[in-house]
Amino acid sequence: MSYAATSAVLTVQPSTKHRTLYLILVVFLPSIVILPGAFALGWVGGVVGVLLTGMFVVLAVFSRFRPLIVLTATHIGHRGMAGGIRWVPRSLPRAVVQGDVFMGRTTQHTVFVADGAGQRLLRFSDEIFDRSALDRLVAELRLPVYRLERRVSSPKQINELYPGLIGWPERHRFLVAFLIVISVVVLVALTSTVLIPRP
């Protein structure tokens, strides 16, 4: 399903703020963290390391350039960093929960659009979109707005107050990050063991 651009009441594109610095960091950090250890495992490890670094760079570029929010008279459309636009009828949302969410080292101003049961339909943050554009979106939606207090800012605290807005991976982000790192290490080790002949 698609809707003509001419019917858009509001279109929100990614912010250009800090985009260049973000992309430099995404290229630099994997290069100094992944590549040295990968190349130490031989040419196969180096290839895997380069592929992993390239994957991070591609994901970073997609996350900063592809997201889009389209608000029409009848639907809200959201495109993430991959795929097409997901359209949600404006009859489904019943409330907006808005405020700062603490993400470990940074705080993101986040807008949750929820249905009548309190389940998240859409989520936007000022990490990708301008805060002023998000405020315009919230005003245009004309829904009841519940604001997060400063003392309720971590994903676990938000989940206790508003179940259904925060998914399991985000509530356990350190465990997820640990599992990802372990998976990468195991993948590189197994690939090197299988493909590199023993002397």
Side-chain angles (χ1 to χ4, degrees):
M1 181 181 295
S2 63
Y3 300 88
T6 54
S7 65
V9 176
L10 178 67
T11 301
V12 182
Q13 295 182 328
S15 170
T16 58
K17 183 180 180 182
H18 306 313
R19 179 184 285 176
T20 302
L21 176 61
Y22 176 82
L23 294 178
I24 290 174
L25 289 175
V26 168
V27 173
F28 177 72
L29 291 178
S31 298
I32 64 172
V33 173
I34 296 176
L35 291 182
F39 277 108
L41 296 174
W43 70 269
V44 174
V47 170
V48 173
V50 169
L51 291 176
L52 287 174
T53 302
M55 179 186 69
F56 278 112
V57 173
V58 169
L59 290 176
V61 171
F62 273 40
S63 71
R64 292 291 160 164
F65 288 87
R66 277 190 53 80
L68 183 70
I69 305 171
V70 180
L71 182 65
T72 74
T74 58
H75 288 77
I76 311 170
H78 178 232
R79 182 179 67 195
M81 64 180 181
I85 297 179
R86 174 196 171 203
W87 294 98
V88 175
R90 288 186 66 167
S91 59
L92 288 182
R94 287 291 182 267
V96 169
V97 179
Q98 183 178 20
D100 295 331
V101 179
F102 183 63
M103 303 297 292
R105 292 187 177 182
T106 61
T107 300
Q108 300 173 6
H109 185 80
T110 305
V111 173
F112 300 95
V113 180
D115 63 14
Q119 297 298 305
R120 182 180 74 200
L121 294 171
L122 297 165
R123 176 179 179 173
F124 315 110
S125 78
D126 66 354
E127 180 191 17
I128 303 297
F129 303 101
D130 281 327
R131 168 73 183 273
S132 59
L134 294 179
D135 289 340
R136 288 198 305 273
L137 173 68
V138 170
E140 194 66 42
L141 287 173
R142 298 183 179 90
L143 294 170
V145 178
Y146 302 91
R147 302 198 178 272
L148 296 172
E149 300 178 10
R150 286 188 175 273
R151 62 183 181 82
V152 182
S153 60
S154 73
K156 287 186 177 181
Q157 291 171 328
I158 295 171
N159 184 68
E160 291 173 0
L161 192 59
Y162 299 102
L165 296 184
I166 303 289
W168 185 91
E170 190 172 349
R171 300 198 308 270
H172 303 85
R173 58 185 182 276
F174 295 111
L175 175 60
V176 172
F178 175 76
L179 293 175
I180 291 174
V181 171
I182 291 298
S183 300
V184 170
V185 171
V186 170
L187 175 63
V188 171
L190 289 176
T191 305
S192 301
T193 302
V194 171
L195 297 181
I196 296 179
R198 295 182 179 180

